[in-house]
């Protein structure tokens, strides 16, 4: 198993399937009345979040606690980062206190890799800029496999702000590694320029991209990462790209609807779809704890 999880670009099929298989066992633990095993007793997991997060931060904390690890959660505003301490010095300080694992979210692409160079602890990237969000993609694959019984041969349509999406980037690498077909859909300005070179089909007409899809994954419009005017207007985006029940009929009858959250209701998804079938958004959240338990267990050599 890898020492650090910085992205999925170089992670192979077998390693991905090992994580997903292990997560299945972890989900069984989470279904027990007492959701705790002693596997990582005495190990220290530090959650270092330089950007807001609900799902990723809380699920890592729950995952570490379910494995009996000790956790410390740090935000930039409440640490010496607010006094100007660098990422490298922050990471070295936490390492000197005995951290075994650093889970890091940062607005800069490459921050997790920089942290890994500064520490002897294992590092998990919990989202770095527009680069990758590997644990989100792994929980997405777990959710797809649980619902469909397979990953190979699935057609997965990812819709929205692909250009700024670390979730899309990680999903593309992972889905291709396990033999799924990926399609990207959105306004031309929000599609990644490198997609053509990677041979990934891109669509500016949503209806074409939905045709026969097994899974539709809508992405959040990341207005905070848009430095230029990528959209004529939010209303225009919604008119052309919002997933509605009517548009979903173009996909397979047993289509799964996914979204990494948080959702801009009525922009990426029609409000009635968020909590109702075929949406599996809440299952994704639940599965996030099991997948993060699997990663902590595998990477820290749990017993
Ligand atoms: N999907 C995701 O990363 O959500 P959070 O920002 O709430 O962690």
């Amino acid at each position: 198993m890898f020492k650090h999880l910085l992205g999925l670009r170089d992670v192979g099929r077998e390693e991905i399937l090992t994580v997903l298989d292990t997560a299945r066992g972890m989900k069984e633990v989470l279904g027990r009345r007492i959701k705790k095993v002693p596997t990582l007793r005495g190990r220290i997991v530090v959650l270092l979040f330089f950007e807001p997060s609900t799902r990723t931060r809380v699920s890592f904390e729950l995952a570490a606690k379910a494995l009996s690890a000790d956790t410390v959660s740090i935000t930039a505003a409440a640490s010496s980062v607010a006094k100007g301490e660098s990422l490298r010095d922050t990471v070295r300080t936490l390492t000197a206190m005995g951290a075994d694992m650093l889970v890091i979210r940062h607005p800069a692409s490459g921050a997790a890799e920089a942290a890994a160079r500064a520490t002897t602890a294992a590092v998990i990237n919990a989202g770095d800029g527009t680069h990758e969000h590997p644990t989100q993609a792994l929980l997405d694959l777990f959710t797809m496999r649980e619902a469909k019984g397979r990953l190979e041969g699935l057609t997965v349509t990812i819709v929205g702000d692909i250009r700024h999406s670390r979730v899309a980037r990680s999903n593309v690498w992972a889905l291709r590694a396990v033999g799924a077909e990926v399609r990207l859909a959105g306004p031309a300005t929000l599609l990644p320029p490198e997609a053509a070179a990677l041979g990934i089909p891109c669509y500016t007409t949503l209806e074409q991209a939905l045709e026969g899809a097994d899974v539709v994954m809508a992405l959040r419009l990341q207005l905070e990462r848009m430095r230029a005017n990528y959209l004529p207007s939010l209303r225009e985006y919604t008119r052309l790209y919002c997933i509605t029940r009517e548009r979903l009929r173009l996909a397979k009858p047993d289509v799964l609807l996914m979204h990494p959250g948080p959702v801009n209701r009525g922009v990426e998804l029609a409000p009635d779809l968020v909590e109702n079938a075929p949406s599996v958004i809440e299952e994704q959240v639940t599965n996030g704890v099991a997948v993060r338990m699997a990663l902590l267990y595998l990477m820290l050599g749990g017993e």
Side-chain angles (χ1 to χ4, degrees):
M1 191 43 58
F2 30 77
K3 160 139 194 194
H4 305 296
L5 179 60
L6 307 177
L8 294 176
R9 187 178 185 142
D10 300 318
V11 175
R13 180 178 181 277
E14 291 313 314
E15 286 169 311
I16 290 172
L17 295 182
T18 298
V19 174
L20 303 190
D21 290 342
T22 308
R24 208 183 279 164
M26 297 302 174
K27 193 163 177 180
E28 185 271 315
V29 171
L30 293 171
R32 295 179 193 166
R33 194 171 64 81
I34 299 187
K35 305 169 177 57
K36 208 171 185 76
V37 288
T39 309
L40 293 182
R41 200 163 43 197
R43 312 304 292 276
I44 298 173
V45 176
V46 177
L47 311 174
L48 186 53
F49 277 64
F50 292 82
E51 273 188 346
S53 167
T54 299
R55 293 152 199 77
T56 313
R57 191 179 61 74
V58 175
S59 64
F60 262 115
E61 187 160 352
L62 291 174
K65 287 191 158 115
L67 295 170
S68 301
D70 293 313
T71 61
V72 183
S73 191
I74 303 172
T75 58
S79 71
S80 288
V81 170
K83 294 187 249 173
E85 189 165 39
S86 68
L87 174 63
R88 184 173 182 278
D89 287 346
T90 303
V91 164
R92 288 184 66 84
T93 300
L94 296 168
T95 308
M97 287 186 216
D100 295 296
M101 164 77 78
L102 296 173
V103 177
I104 177 165
R105 171 170 289 192
H106 199 283
S109 301
E113 191 177 337
R117 280 199 299 269
T119 183
T120 50
V123 173
I124 293 182
N125 178 5
D128 62 332
T130 58
H131 174 229
E132 285 220 38
H133 191 350
T135 64
Q136 177 68 46
L138 290 168
L139 77 86
D140 292 338
L141 265 66
F142 182 89
T143 306
M144 288 178 213
R145 190 166 79 155
E146 197 174 52
K148 298 281 178 199
R150 68 189 168 103
L151 291 168
E152 199 169 347
L154 291 181
T155 299
V156 180
T157 299
I158 306 179
V159 183
D161 181 4
I162 320 275
R163 179 187 279 262
H164 299 97
S165 177
R166 53 199 182 198
V167 174
R169 228 167 292 285
S170 288
N171 263 292
V172 165
W173 300 129
L175 287 165
R176 283 161 65 102
V178 297
E181 187 208 325
V182 185
R183 300 175 184 167
L184 305 178
T189 48
L190 294 181
L191 291 171
E194 67 270 26
L198 292 168
I200 304 170
C202 287
Y203 300 83
T204 50
T205 306
L206 176 61
E207 286 73 8
Q208 285 176 358
L210 294 179
E211 202 82 52
D214 294 288
V215 178
V216 175
M217 184 186 295
L219 298 174
R220 187 171 70 87
L221 266 193
Q222 301 192 46
L223 299 169
E224 74 276 19
R225 292 192 208 284
M226 292 190 194
R227 295 196 183 87
N229 288 328
Y230 288 97
L231 294 172
S233 73
L234 213 51
R235 182 193 291 227
E236 182 72 355
Y237 178 87
T238 301
R239 189 175 69 78
L240 294 173
Y241 297 103
C242 182
I243 310 284
T244 60
R245 218 166 263 287
E246 193 185 343
R247 283 180 165 149
L248 267 189
R249 288 200 191 97
L250 295 165
K252 293 238 176 89
D254 61 347
V255 67
L256 286 191
L257 177 62
M258 306 180 77
H259 192 299
V263 177
N264 294 309
R265 282 174 187 256
V267 176
E268 299 114 19
L269 298 178
D272 68 300
L273 280 174
V274 177
E275 286 147 26
N276 298 304
S279 161
V280 288
I281 295 171
E282 289 181 4
E283 285 88 331
Q284 287 174 265
V285 174
T286 303
N287 293 336
V289 182
V291 167
R292 286 164 178 136
M293 281 173 78
L295 286 165
L296 295 176
Y297 169 80
L298 292 166
M299 293 174 68
L300 289 177
E303 289 159 18

